[in-house]
Amino acid sequence: MTQLADRPVETEPPVHPVDQVPPTPKLVVLALQHLFIMYAGAVAVPFIVGNALGLSPMDIGILVNMDLLVSGICTMLQAAGLYKLRFVGSRLPIIAGATFTVLSPMLTIAFANGGAYAGGLATVYGSLLVAGVFGLLIARPFSMMIRFFPPLVSGTVIAIIGLSLIGVDINLITGSSTLTSVVTAYPTTLPAGASVSAGSAPGTFDIITANPDYAKPSFIGLAMLVILVIVLISRFAPGFAGQLAVLVVGVLVAWPMHLLNFSSVGPASWFGVAAPFHFGAPQFHFSAIVSMCIVVLVTYTESTADTVAVAEMTESDLPPKRLAAGLAADGFSFILAGFMNSFPDTAYAENVGLLGITKVRSRWVVALCGVFLVVLGVIPKMGAVIAALPQQVIGGAATVMFAMVTVVGIQTLSKVSFKDNHNLLIVAVSLSVGMAPALFTTFYSKFPEWFQTIFGSAITSTVIVVFILNLLFNHWGGQGEPEALETAVHEGAYAPGIPNDGVNVSDGYPENWQKEPGVVARSREADVT
């Protein structure tokens, strides 16, 4: 009896903060915070694509709803996982949202294949399906090869994403410079300055005239007001509510300008889901598939950086297997987007920042945010309301978002050593190749169609060039900058043989953090215990 009394009482191990479930009121409030932080960026992607492709308000509403639905599903998958299947979902508090990376390739593919309604979007979604399978297959190998995607590569790619998209938001602000009307008979007379061309449908003709409302000062003034509101809210009233306040102020100002048209909201139903392949059966073109597979690599690079940041912030271990599971969720979003007329997802950096502000690391908060996104995704009226927002309001907000993406790329490049001209040359050549088709859309017009689809996108062409040049200067033959690899290790990659004395322990990395093979990121708590 004495021996039994002296035996220590076994206690259950404490629950990791990531796995803790906050009280219900706090859980709901924090989930709504995450929703408001990411909402504006999430709906901007379908809105921009829909307007750039000339979709009807109803179809733009479908894109918005399906984007929110897919985002919600993938967020729940990232945070909660899928029962006992450990190969999909990182089980970390990561919000999945539509990536801006896909915008440029998506528009390039759609326009190169007849436009939205003539097979363009069908080709886009076909390429997303194949790229998603590719993403699932390479998730684990990629998680063990991130040393080939150091800040030199990722920073250049992030910068070109923002730079190449700036023209898209300007078009939203100014509107189209021309108006197109479709007729079934060749016109005998034309308005002054008008031209006629064969229509996209057989037996039709397009009459193209100048748009008298193009770049009206009131349009540009409204966009500038939105930018001013963003600045003022960021300075004097930062917080999650400010993200939606920008849209509310823009809409209120646009109302007396007669820029609001909610005629499509009334017919929209309160509940429903668009049928898969709404824009036609998927079409598979090799060049489009290659372009989207490159988007997968860019998305994985972006998500890896955010996942490593979340692991550090939540003091969670991140072995390659767990990182690969998170990347696989992104890959699955490509497949789901291909079926559901949506967009692939990546980890949202804005929500990573919110984790640092609230200090609440529970993945169940993020999982509930995913539930809210799914609910919004099955309410077509919500998508119709977003589709009715003035282009100038979204364009003003997008201008800041795209510029911020560019600045993040520059910030990432600040970690690169430029002590000689090698890395400087890599960035210069990569950006120049990427910006050429962004500034001049007909730059490759004399090249084969497959070449135009791949290199006509600023993002895909930049990725190809910067990846090859980085290998040429910093890997092949052992020449070049060792700092490129060391910086990648410092950012979370594991690579044997890199000396530990180069790591800045004051940055939060434990002294023995890289001694355990195969660990991408480790918690500080693990090293203490």
Side-chain angles (χ1 to χ4, degrees), residues 400-528:
V400 177
M401 286 190 287
F402 296 158
M404 285 292 290
V405 171
T406 304
V407 174
V408 170
I410 296 172
Q411 185 181 40
T412 304
L413 286 172
S414 68
K415 304 170 185 176
V416 178
S417 171
F418 291 104
K419 70 179 184 181
D420 62 23
N421 288 330
H422 285 172
N423 289 339
L424 197 64
L425 180 66
I426 291 173
V427 175
V429 172
S430 303
L431 291 179
S432 62
V433 172
M435 287 305 297
L439 295 175
F440 304 98
T441 56
T442 58
F443 190 76
Y444 294 120
S445 60
K446 302 298 183 181
F447 285 72
E449 183 178 335
W450 65 267
F451 188 95
Q452 294 182 48
T453 302
I454 296 174
F455 287 92
S457 166
I459 296 172
T460 53
S461 57
T462 300
V463 171
I464 293 172
V465 173
V466 72
F467 182 77
I468 293 176
L469 290 181
N470 179 56
L471 291 179
L472 176 64
F473 283 99
N474 295 323
H475 290 276
W476 289 339
Q479 303 296 321
E481 296 289 328
E483 287 80 7
L485 180 55
E486 290 174 9
T487 305
V489 174
H490 187 280
E491 291 303 304
Y494 169 76
I498 300 299
N500 188 52
D501 55 7
V503 177
N504 184 357
V505 181
S506 66
D507 285 347
Y509 291 84
E511 292 183 3
N512 63 338
W513 72 281
Q514 65 171 6
K515 293 181 179 180
E516 181 180 338
V519 175
V520 178
R522 298 185 58 191
S523 67
R524 302 178 184 89
E525 183 179 328
D527 287 276
V528 174

Side-chain angles (χ1 to χ4, degrees), residues 8-14:
V9 179
E10 295 183 2
T11 58
E12 295 184 0

Side-chain angles (χ1 to χ4, degrees), residues 41-223:
V43 300
V45 174
F47 189 93
I48 291 170
V49 169
N51 280 280
L53 294 178
L55 298 184
S56 66
M58 183 187 72
D59 284 338
I60 295 176
I62 288 175
L63 290 184
V64 171
N65 280 112
M66 293 303 96
D67 173 53
L68 296 175
L69 179 63
V70 170
S71 177
I73 293 173
C74 293
T75 296
M76 290 189 294
L77 191 61
Q78 281 283 20
L82 190 62
Y83 191 49
K84 294 184 179 180
L85 300 179
R86 292 282 178 177
F87 59 86
V88 180
S90 63
R91 288 173 168 79
L92 289 171
I94 293 176
I95 294 284
T99 173
F100 287 121
T101 306
V102 79
L103 284 180
S104 175
M106 200 174 198
L107 295 177
T108 301
I109 293 171
F111 285 126
N113 291 276
Y117 294 111
L121 279 178
T123 303
V124 166
Y125 291 126
S127 63
L128 283 176
L129 291 173
V130 179
V133 175
F134 168 77
L136 292 177
L137 293 176
I138 69 162
R140 185 61 189 272
F142 187 93
S143 69
M144 304 174 71
M145 296 175 58
I146 58 175
R147 71 190 187 96
F148 293 108
F149 296 87
L152 175 65
V153 174
S154 59
T156 304
V157 173
I158 294 171
I160 199 67
I161 291 173
L163 290 172
S164 65
L165 292 176
I166 288 178
V168 177
D169 61 272
I170 298 302
N171 288 334
L172 286 176
I173 296 171
T174 61
S176 175
S177 60
T178 59
L179 297 175
T180 302
S181 56
V182 180
V183 296
T184 56
Y186 192 88
T188 56
T189 59
L190 291 174
S195 62
V196 62
S197 62
S200 56
T204 63
F205 301 91
D206 293 339
I207 300 177
I208 303 172
T209 57
N211 182 3
D213 291 331
Y214 173 70
K216 287 178 64 175
S218 58
F219 291 174
I220 299 175
L222 177 58

Side-chain angles (χ1 to χ4, degrees), residues 106 129 194 235 279 324 327 345 385 495:
M106 200 174 198
L129 291 173
R235 175 60 182 89
F279 296 97
L327 297 179
D345 293 330
V385 170

